[in-house]
């Protein structure tokens, strides 16, 4: 969409939005932005996949593989 085209110029790489959040890559590390383009998870991970419908995302950091969980407060 429109937001992804803007992200492509701002970050090294980005993935698709899911649940209002998208992984992005900056200086070789992955973090997560919201739909406003604001970082909600600072770039830390070696890999971060988009969030699934239940709020889980697969992440890697070094030899550690884990699930990142988001909690949406309204």
């Amino acid at each position: 969409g429109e937001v992804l085209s803007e992200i492509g110029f701002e970050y090294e790489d980005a993935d698709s939005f899911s649940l209002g959040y998208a992984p992005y890559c900056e200086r070789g590390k992955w973090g997560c932005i919201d739909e406003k383009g604001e970082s909600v998870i600072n770039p830390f991970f070696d890999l971060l996949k988009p969030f699934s419908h239940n709020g889980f995302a697969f992440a890697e950091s070094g030899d550690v593989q884990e699930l990142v969980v988001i909690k949406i407060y309204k």
Side-chain angles (χ1 to χ4, degrees):
E2 194 173 306
V3 176
L4 282 178
S5 63
E6 292 174 17
I7 291 169
F9 295 107
E10 192 171 336
Y11 303 113
E12 294 169 22
D13 198 359
D15 212 323
S16 56
F17 277 90
S18 178
L19 301 179
Y21 300 96
Y24 73 97
C25 184
E26 188 174 75
R27 293 185 210 99
K29 296 292 182 178
W30 286 84
C32 190
I33 58 169
D34 62 17
E35 290 177 328
K36 297 175 188 171
E38 297 177 9
S39 182
V40 292
I41 299 175
N42 290 328
F44 166 79
F45 299 103
D46 294 326
L47 175 69
L48 181 62
K49 295 290 189 179
F51 287 98
S52 65
H53 68 281
N54 58 6
F56 291 93
F58 177 78
E60 282 185 11
S61 183
D63 293 335
V64 178
Q65 296 179 347
E66 59 190 320
L67 287 176
V68 175
V69 182
I70 59 167
K71 174 70 176 165
I72 301 171
Y73 296 94
K74 296 189 178 197

